[in-house]
Amino acid sequence: MKFKVVIPARLGSTRLPRKVLRDIAGKPLVRHVWEAARASGAEQVVIATDDETVAKAARDFGAEVRLTEATHQSGTDRVNEVARAEGWERDCVVVNLQGDEPLMPPALIREAARLLDEDSAADIATFCHPLHSAEDWLNPNVVKLVKDRRGYALYFSRAPIPWKRDPASATDLAAHMPPELAYRHIGLYAYRVGSLSQFSELPPGDLEQCEALEQLRALSHGFRIRVGVTQNPPPRGVDTEEDLAAVAAILSRR
């Protein structure tokens, strides 16, 4: 199986400025992401950025870099620009690995590509893991999903879904959680280049704008999203100073 990985690495970040260049265990954050991608077995790994500072830092540690437009609204659009510039074939599988996920397991990156490669009916592949915490299920910052019996996504939401209608205790919100059906989405995507190109040309839809979830644009336009389930979710990404410290602690123990 052959696949590519593109790492969108935008320097501007609202909650944690310049986070992709922040030092973790003696390396910039984005280098840890790049090393995970390289270890996945991808035949090509490209860092896509809109800033020359990031590009220079990436070249210094040996990465292949593409400078992309600064006007992109999402990492997906940045990945699409790279795919076009590289001239990748429409059936080529490309994994979008976010530039703030230094602890993403290489095996999961490869598995995302495999899921899509082996399912000709799917346009996109992604992952989820079972939710066991009612606190996470009720947290709007934790994206939930429901899927059909064949493993395709039905919906993604920040709301607690699915919702058990008649729990034993109707006054306890946590009692509405069906543990056997509750899943947390993992923000790792594999695309066929043809589907990626088509997706990037679509305008944001009402559901996407309502929930601020880009994957709802795909579902609204009939894209089929294959969902893999892992029992071992990847550790946290980096959005805050607290996340940065937590990731640094994990890497220092390795």
Side-chain angles (χ1 to χ4, degrees):
M1 181 186 65
K2 295 182 178 180
F3 66 99
K4 322 279 189 179
V5 175
V6 177
I7 304 169
R10 188 172 63 91
L11 187 62
S13 174
T14 304
R15 286 188 286 179
L16 187 60
R18 301 174 65 86
K19 69 178 177 180
V20 297
L21 294 183
R22 295 291 295 270
D23 183 88
I24 300 180
K27 302 175 184 177
L29 186 156
V30 71
R31 179 168 181 172
H32 292 283
V33 182
W34 175 76
E35 288 176 351
R38 295 259 294 176
S40 73
E43 63 174 345
Q44 187 176 2
V45 178
V46 181
I47 293 177
T49 183
D50 60 354
D51 191 278
E52 183 57 48
T53 306
V54 176
K56 182 182 184 306
R59 292 190 192 104
D60 285 348
F61 60 72
E64 182 178 350
V65 180
R66 275 278 183 179
L67 276 169
T68 54
E69 296 291 336
T71 54
H72 290 313
Q73 297 299 306
S74 71
T76 308
D77 294 330
R78 212 171 295 284
V79 174
N80 183 54
E81 182 181 343
V82 171
R84 287 185 172 183
E86 293 287 325
W88 293 337
E89 298 292 334
R90 290 182 60 83
D91 61 350
C92 173
V93 173
V94 55
V95 176
N96 177 355
L97 176 59
Q98 297 180 41
D100 57 4
E101 294 279 358
L103 299 178
M104 184 64 71
L108 200 63
I109 300 170
R110 181 173 181 80
E111 182 65 11
R114 188 195 65 78
L115 265 181
L116 187 61
D117 183 65
E118 295 183 354
D119 188 344
S120 60
D123 302 292
I124 304 168
T126 191
F127 271 93
C128 69
H129 69 87
L131 265 177
H132 304 293
S133 163
E135 181 181 358
D136 285 342
W137 184 67
L138 293 166
N139 185 348
N141 293 317
V142 174
V143 178
K144 279 71 66 174
L145 67 81
V146 288
K147 55 189 180 67
D148 67 19
R149 291 181 179 274
R150 297 165 298 175
Y152 294 102
L154 290 171
Y155 195 67
F156 298 82
S157 183
R158 297 184 182 279
I161 59 171
W163 181 270
K164 186 186 294 184
R165 179 180 173 181
D166 298 312
S169 172
T171 58
D172 181 7
L173 289 179
H176 290 272
M177 174 183 172
E180 71 283 1
L181 298 173
Y183 293 94
R184 177 179 186 167
H185 180 226
I186 297 170
L188 176 70
Y189 297 96
Y191 296 87
R192 299 187 204 285
V193 167
S195 298
L196 174 64
S197 176
Q198 183 183 355
F199 175 82
S200 294
E201 292 172 359
L202 296 171
D206 293 340
L207 288 173
E208 176 185 358
Q209 293 176 328
C210 175
E211 298 234 31
L213 295 174
E214 189 183 43
Q215 58 269 45
L216 291 177
R217 186 193 319 175
L219 289 184
S220 295
H221 286 275
F223 285 67
R224 302 187 78 183
I225 303 178
R226 180 64 183 270
V227 182
V229 179
T230 178
Q231 300 298 322
N232 300 300
R236 67 205 297 175
V238 176
D239 287 317
T240 65
E241 290 285 355
E242 291 74 18
D243 293 339
L244 193 73
V247 169
I250 291 171
L251 288 174
S252 68
R253 293 195 295 269
R254 290 185 175 178

Short mmCIF file of all heavy atoms in Angstrom, two decimals, residues 48-93:
data_model
loop_
_atom_site.label_atom_id
_atom_site.label_comp_id
_atom_site.label_asym_id
_atom_site.label_seq_id
_atom_site.Cartn_x
_atom_site.Cartn_y
_atom_site.Cartn_z
N ALA A 48 3.16 21.43 4.95
CA ALA A 48 2.53 22.52 4.20
C ALA A 48 2.33 23.71 5.14
O ALA A 48 1.62 23.61 6.14
CB ALA A 48 1.18 22.07 3.64
N THR A 49 2.96 24.82 4.81
CA THR A 49 2.88 25.99 5.68
C THR A 49 2.73 27.26 4.86
O THR A 49 3.08 27.30 3.67
CB THR A 49 4.13 26.09 6.57
OG1 THR A 49 4.00 27.20 7.47
CG2 THR A 49 5.40 26.27 5.74
N ASP A 50 2.24 28.32 5.52
CA ASP A 50 2.10 29.60 4.84
C ASP A 50 3.16 30.59 5.32
O ASP A 50 3.08 31.78 5.02
CB ASP A 50 0.70 30.18 5.09
CG ASP A 50 0.41 30.40 6.57
OD1 ASP A 50 1.23 29.99 7.41
OD2 ASP A 50 -0.65 30.97 6.89
N ASP A 51 4.14 30.09 6.08
CA ASP A 51 5.12 30.99 6.70
C ASP A 51 6.55 30.51 6.44
O ASP A 51 6.87 29.34 6.67
CB ASP A 51 4.85 31.08 8.20
CG ASP A 51 5.65 32.17 8.86
OD1 ASP A 51 6.84 31.94 9.17
OD2 ASP A 51 5.10 33.27 9.06
N GLU A 52 7.38 31.40 6.00
CA GLU A 52 8.76 31.05 5.67
C GLU A 52 9.55 30.65 6.91
O GLU A 52 10.49 29.83 6.83
CB GLU A 52 9.45 32.23 4.99
CG GLU A 52 10.88 31.96 4.53
CD GLU A 52 11.01 30.76 3.59
OE1 GLU A 52 10.22 30.67 2.63
OE2 GLU A 52 11.88 29.90 3.85
N THR A 53 9.18 31.17 8.08
CA THR A 53 9.88 30.78 9.31
C THR A 53 9.70 29.29 9.60
O THR A 53 10.65 28.59 9.95
CB THR A 53 9.35 31.60 10.51
OG1 THR A 53 9.43 32.99 10.21
CG2 THR A 53 10.15 31.31 11.76
N VAL A 54 8.46 28.82 9.44
CA VAL A 54 8.18 27.40 9.63
C VAL A 54 8.89 26.58 8.55
O VAL A 54 9.48 25.53 8.82
CB VAL A 54 6.67 27.12 9.59
CG1 VAL A 54 6.39 25.62 9.70
CG2 VAL A 54 5.96 27.87 10.70
N ALA A 55 8.82 27.09 7.31
CA ALA A 55 9.45 26.38 6.20
C ALA A 55 10.95 26.20 6.43
O ALA A 55 11.51 25.11 6.21
CB ALA A 55 9.21 27.13 4.90
N LYS A 56 11.62 27.26 6.88
CA LYS A 56 13.07 27.17 7.12
C LYS A 56 13.38 26.18 8.24
O LYS A 56 14.30 25.36 8.13
CB LYS A 56 13.64 28.54 7.49
CG LYS A 56 15.16 28.52 7.71
CD LYS A 56 15.70 29.87 8.10
CE LYS A 56 17.23 29.82 8.22
NZ LYS A 56 17.70 28.75 9.14
N ALA A 57 12.59 26.24 9.33
CA ALA A 57 12.82 25.32 10.44
C ALA A 57 12.64 23.87 9.99
O ALA A 57 13.42 22.99 10.36
CB ALA A 57 11.86 25.63 11.58
N ALA A 58 11.64 23.63 9.15
CA ALA A 58 11.37 22.28 8.66
C ALA A 58 12.48 21.79 7.73
O ALA A 58 12.92 20.64 7.80
CB ALA A 58 10.02 22.23 7.97
N ARG A 59 12.93 22.67 6.84
CA ARG A 59 14.03 22.29 5.94
C ARG A 59 15.29 21.99 6.74
O ARG A 59 16.07 21.10 6.38
CB ARG A 59 14.29 23.41 4.94
CG ARG A 59 13.17 23.63 3.93
CD ARG A 59 13.62 24.59 2.84
NE ARG A 59 12.50 25.05 2.03
CZ ARG A 59 11.93 26.25 2.13
NH1 ARG A 59 12.42 27.14 3.00
NH2 ARG A 59 10.91 26.58 1.37
N ASP A 60 15.50 22.72 7.83
CA ASP A 60 16.70 22.53 8.64
C ASP A 60 16.76 21.13 9.25
O ASP A 60 17.86 20.60 9.48
CB ASP A 60 16.78 23.58 9.76
CG ASP A 60 17.19 24.96 9.23
OD1 ASP A 60 17.63 25.04 8.07
OD2 ASP A 60 17.05 25.94 9.98
N PHE A 61 15.60 20.53 9.55
CA PHE A 61 15.65 19.16 10.08
C PHE A 61 15.38 18.11 9.00
O PHE A 61 15.20 16.93 9.29
CB PHE A 61 14.76 18.96 11.31
CG PHE A 61 13.28 19.22 11.14
CD1 PHE A 61 12.47 18.35 10.43
CD2 PHE A 61 12.69 20.32 11.75
CE1 PHE A 61 11.12 18.56 10.31
CE2 PHE A 61 11.32 20.54 11.64
CZ PHE A 61 10.52 19.66 10.92
N GLY A 62 15.39 18.54 7.73
CA GLY A 62 15.37 17.60 6.62
C GLY A 62 14.03 17.31 6.00
O GLY A 62 13.90 16.40 5.17
N ALA A 63 13.01 18.08 6.35
CA ALA A 63 11.67 17.82 5.84
C ALA A 63 11.48 18.39 4.44
O ALA A 63 12.11 19.38 4.05
CB ALA A 63 10.61 18.42 6.77
N GLU A 64 10.58 17.76 3.69
CA GLU A 64 10.12 18.32 2.42
C GLU A 64 9.01 19.33 2.73
O GLU A 64 8.11 19.03 3.51
CB GLU A 64 9.58 17.20 1.52
CG GLU A 64 9.12 17.67 0.15
CD GLU A 64 8.63 16.53 -0.73
OE1 GLU A 64 8.82 15.35 -0.36
OE2 GLU A 64 8.06 16.83 -1.78
N VAL A 65 9.10 20.50 2.14
CA VAL A 65 8.19 21.59 2.50
C VAL A 65 7.53 22.18 1.26
O VAL A 65 8.16 22.28 0.20
CB VAL A 65 8.96 22.72 3.25
CG1 VAL A 65 8.02 23.85 3.64
CG2 VAL A 65 9.66 22.17 4.47
N ARG A 66 6.27 22.58 1.41
CA ARG A 66 5.56 23.34 0.38
C ARG A 66 5.01 24.60 1.02
O ARG A 66 4.28 24.54 2.01
CB ARG A 66 4.40 22.54 -0.20
CG ARG A 66 4.78 21.60 -1.33
CD ARG A 66 4.87 22.33 -2.65
NE ARG A 66 5.17 21.40 -3.75
CZ ARG A 66 5.28 21.78 -5.01
NH1 ARG A 66 5.16 23.06 -5.33
NH2 ARG A 66 5.54 20.90 -5.96
N LEU A 67 5.37 25.76 0.47
CA LEU A 67 4.76 27.01 0.91
C LEU A 67 3.40 27.14 0.23
O LEU A 67 3.30 27.05 -0.99
CB LEU A 67 5.64 28.20 0.55
CG LEU A 67 6.77 28.52 1.55
CD1 LEU A 67 7.72 29.54 0.95
CD2 LEU A 67 6.19 29.04 2.87
N THR A 68 2.35 27.33 1.03
CA THR A 68 0.99 27.39 0.51
C THR A 68 0.37 28.76 0.78
O THR A 68 0.91 29.57 1.54
CB THR A 68 0.13 26.30 1.17
OG1 THR A 68 0.22 26.41 2.60
CG2 THR A 68 0.61 24.91 0.76
N GLU A 69 -0.77 28.99 0.18
CA GLU A 69 -1.45 30.28 0.31
C GLU A 69 -1.80 30.58 1.76
O GLU A 69 -2.18 29.68 2.53
CB GLU A 69 -2.73 30.29 -0.53
CG GLU A 69 -2.49 30.16 -2.03
CD GLU A 69 -1.83 31.40 -2.63
OE1 GLU A 69 -1.95 32.49 -2.02
OE2 GLU A 69 -1.19 31.29 -3.68
N ALA A 70 -1.73 31.85 2.12
CA ALA A 70 -2.06 32.27 3.48
C ALA A 70 -3.57 32.42 3.69
O ALA A 70 -4.03 32.57 4.82
CB ALA A 70 -1.36 33.58 3.81
N THR A 71 -4.33 32.35 2.62
CA THR A 71 -5.77 32.61 2.70
C THR A 71 -6.61 31.37 2.99
O THR A 71 -7.83 31.48 3.13
CB THR A 71 -6.26 33.23 1.38
OG1 THR A 71 -5.88 32.38 0.29
CG2 THR A 71 -5.64 34.61 1.17
N HIS A 72 -5.98 30.21 3.08
CA HIS A 72 -6.76 28.99 3.32
C HIS A 72 -7.50 29.05 4.66
O HIS A 72 -6.95 29.50 5.67
CB HIS A 72 -5.84 27.76 3.31
CG HIS A 72 -5.31 27.43 1.95
ND1 HIS A 72 -6.10 27.39 0.83
CD2 HIS A 72 -4.05 27.11 1.54
CE1 HIS A 72 -5.35 27.06 -0.22
NE2 HIS A 72 -4.11 26.89 0.19
N GLN A 73 -8.74 28.56 4.64
CA GLN A 73 -9.55 28.56 5.84
C GLN A 73 -9.34 27.32 6.70
O GLN A 73 -9.75 27.28 7.86
CB GLN A 73 -11.04 28.67 5.46
CG GLN A 73 -11.40 29.96 4.74
CD GLN A 73 -11.13 31.19 5.60
OE1 GLN A 73 -11.60 31.27 6.72
NE2 GLN A 73 -10.35 32.12 5.07
N SER A 74 -8.72 26.30 6.13
CA SER A 74 -8.55 25.06 6.89
C SER A 74 -7.30 24.32 6.43
O SER A 74 -6.76 24.58 5.34
CB SER A 74 -9.77 24.15 6.71
OG SER A 74 -9.80 23.63 5.39
N GLY A 75 -6.89 23.36 7.25
CA GLY A 75 -5.77 22.52 6.87
C GLY A 75 -6.08 21.65 5.68
O GLY A 75 -5.19 21.33 4.88
N THR A 76 -7.35 21.29 5.52
CA THR A 76 -7.75 20.47 4.37
C THR A 76 -7.47 21.19 3.06
O THR A 76 -6.99 20.59 2.09
CB THR A 76 -9.25 20.12 4.46
OG1 THR A 76 -9.52 19.55 5.74
CG2 THR A 76 -9.64 19.13 3.37
N ASP A 77 -7.78 22.48 3.02
CA ASP A 77 -7.49 23.26 1.81
C ASP A 77 -6.00 23.32 1.53
O ASP A 77 -5.56 23.29 0.38
CB ASP A 77 -8.05 24.68 1.96
CG ASP A 77 -9.56 24.71 2.02
OD1 ASP A 77 -10.20 23.82 1.42
OD2 ASP A 77 -10.12 25.62 2.66
N ARG A 78 -5.21 23.37 2.59
CA ARG A 78 -3.75 23.41 2.44
C ARG A 78 -3.25 22.07 1.88
O ARG A 78 -2.37 22.03 1.03
CB ARG A 78 -3.10 23.71 3.79
CG ARG A 78 -1.81 24.50 3.71
CD ARG A 78 -1.35 24.95 5.09
NE ARG A 78 -2.26 25.89 5.71
CZ ARG A 78 -2.36 27.17 5.39
NH1 ARG A 78 -1.57 27.67 4.44
NH2 ARG A 78 -3.20 27.95 5.99
N VAL A 79 -3.84 20.97 2.36
CA VAL A 79 -3.48 19.64 1.86
C VAL A 79 -3.83 19.53 0.38
O VAL A 79 -3.06 19.00 -0.43
CB VAL A 79 -4.19 18.54 2.66
CG1 VAL A 79 -3.92 17.16 2.05
CG2 VAL A 79 -3.73 18.55 4.12
N ASN A 80 -4.99 20.06 0.01
CA ASN A 80 -5.43 20.00 -1.39
C ASN A 80 -4.48 20.78 -2.30
O ASN A 80 -4.17 20.35 -3.41
CB ASN A 80 -6.84 20.56 -1.52
CG ASN A 80 -7.38 20.46 -2.92
OD1 ASN A 80 -7.38 19.40 -3.54
ND2 ASN A 80 -7.82 21.59 -3.47
N GLU A 81 -3.99 21.94 -1.83
CA GLU A 81 -3.05 22.72 -2.64
C GLU A 81 -1.77 21.92 -2.89
O GLU A 81 -1.23 21.93 -4.00
CB GLU A 81 -2.72 24.05 -1.96
CG GLU A 81 -1.77 24.90 -2.80
CD GLU A 81 -1.37 26.21 -2.17
OE1 GLU A 81 -2.04 26.66 -1.23
OE2 GLU A 81 -0.37 26.81 -2.64
N VAL A 82 -1.30 21.22 -1.86
CA VAL A 82 -0.10 20.41 -2.02
C VAL A 82 -0.34 19.29 -3.03
O VAL A 82 0.49 19.02 -3.91
CB VAL A 82 0.35 19.81 -0.66
CG1 VAL A 82 1.47 18.78 -0.86
CG2 VAL A 82 0.81 20.92 0.27
N ALA A 83 -1.49 18.61 -2.90
CA ALA A 83 -1.81 17.50 -3.81
C ALA A 83 -1.82 17.96 -5.26
O ALA A 83 -1.33 17.28 -6.16
CB ALA A 83 -3.15 16.89 -3.43
N ARG A 84 -2.37 19.13 -5.50
CA ARG A 84 -2.41 19.68 -6.87
C ARG A 84 -1.01 20.06 -7.35
O ARG A 84 -0.64 19.78 -8.49
CB ARG A 84 -3.32 20.91 -6.90
CG ARG A 84 -4.81 20.58 -6.80
CD ARG A 84 -5.66 21.82 -6.97
NE ARG A 84 -7.07 21.49 -7.06
CZ ARG A 84 -8.03 22.38 -7.27
NH1 ARG A 84 -7.72 23.67 -7.40
NH2 ARG A 84 -9.29 22.01 -7.34
N ALA A 85 -0.26 20.71 -6.48
CA ALA A 85 1.08 21.15 -6.86
C ALA A 85 1.99 19.96 -7.16
O ALA A 85 2.84 20.01 -8.06
CB ALA A 85 1.68 22.01 -5.76
N GLU A 86 1.80 18.87 -6.41
CA GLU A 86 2.62 17.68 -6.61
C GLU A 86 2.14 16.83 -7.79
O GLU A 86 2.85 15.94 -8.25
CB GLU A 86 2.60 16.82 -5.34
CG GLU A 86 3.30 17.46 -4.14
CD GLU A 86 4.81 17.46 -4.29
OE1 GLU A 86 5.34 16.50 -4.87
OE2 GLU A 86 5.46 18.43 -3.84
N GLY A 87 0.93 17.10 -8.27
CA GLY A 87 0.40 16.33 -9.39
C GLY A 87 0.02 14.91 -9.04
O GLY A 87 0.10 14.00 -9.87
N TRP A 88 -0.42 14.69 -7.79
CA TRP A 88 -0.79 13.34 -7.37
C TRP A 88 -2.05 12.88 -8.10
O TRP A 88 -2.97 13.66 -8.35
CB TRP A 88 -1.01 13.30 -5.87
CG TRP A 88 0.26 13.51 -5.08
CD1 TRP A 88 1.54 13.31 -5.50
CD2 TRP A 88 0.36 14.01 -3.74
NE1 TRP A 88 2.43 13.62 -4.52
CE2 TRP A 88 1.75 14.05 -3.41
CE3 TRP A 88 -0.56 14.40 -2.78
CZ2 TRP A 88 2.21 14.48 -2.18
CZ3 TRP A 88 -0.11 14.82 -1.54
CH2 TRP A 88 1.27 14.86 -1.24
N GLU A 89 -2.09 11.60 -8.45
CA GLU A 89 -3.22 11.03 -9.17
C GLU A 89 -4.49 11.07 -8.32
O GLU A 89 -4.43 11.06 -7.09
CB GLU A 89 -2.92 9.59 -9.56
CG GLU A 89 -1.72 9.42 -10.49
CD GLU A 89 -1.98 10.00 -11.88
OE1 GLU A 89 -3.17 10.07 -12.28
OE2 GLU A 89 -1.00 10.36 -12.56
N ARG A 90 -5.64 11.04 -9.00
CA ARG A 90 -6.92 11.18 -8.29
C ARG A 90 -7.19 10.04 -7.32
O ARG A 90 -7.88 10.22 -6.31
CB ARG A 90 -8.08 11.28 -9.30
CG ARG A 90 -8.10 12.58 -10.07
CD ARG A 90 -9.29 12.63 -11.02
NE ARG A 90 -10.56 12.53 -10.31
CZ ARG A 90 -11.17 13.56 -9.73
NH1 ARG A 90 -10.62 14.77 -9.75
NH2 ARG A 90 -12.34 13.40 -9.12
N ASP A 91 -6.65 8.85 -7.60
CA ASP A 91 -6.90 7.73 -6.69
C ASP A 91 -5.81 7.57 -5.64
O ASP A 91 -5.84 6.64 -4.83
CB ASP A 91 -7.05 6.43 -7.48
CG ASP A 91 -5.80 6.07 -8.28
OD1 ASP A 91 -4.89 6.92 -8.37
OD2 ASP A 91 -5.75 4.95 -8.82
N CYS A 92 -4.86 8.48 -5.62
CA CYS A 92 -3.80 8.47 -4.61
C CYS A 92 -4.40 8.73 -3.23
O CYS A 92 -5.27 9.60 -3.07
CB CYS A 92 -2.75 9.53 -4.94
SG CYS A 92 -1.49 9.77 -3.67
N VAL A 93 -3.94 8.01 -2.21
CA VAL A 93 -4.41 8.20 -0.84
C VAL A 93 -3.47 9.14 -0.10
O VAL A 93 -2.25 8.92 -0.09
CB VAL A 93 -4.50 6.85 -0.10
CG1 VAL A 93 -4.84 7.07 1.38
CG2 VAL A 93 -5.55 5.95 -0.75
#
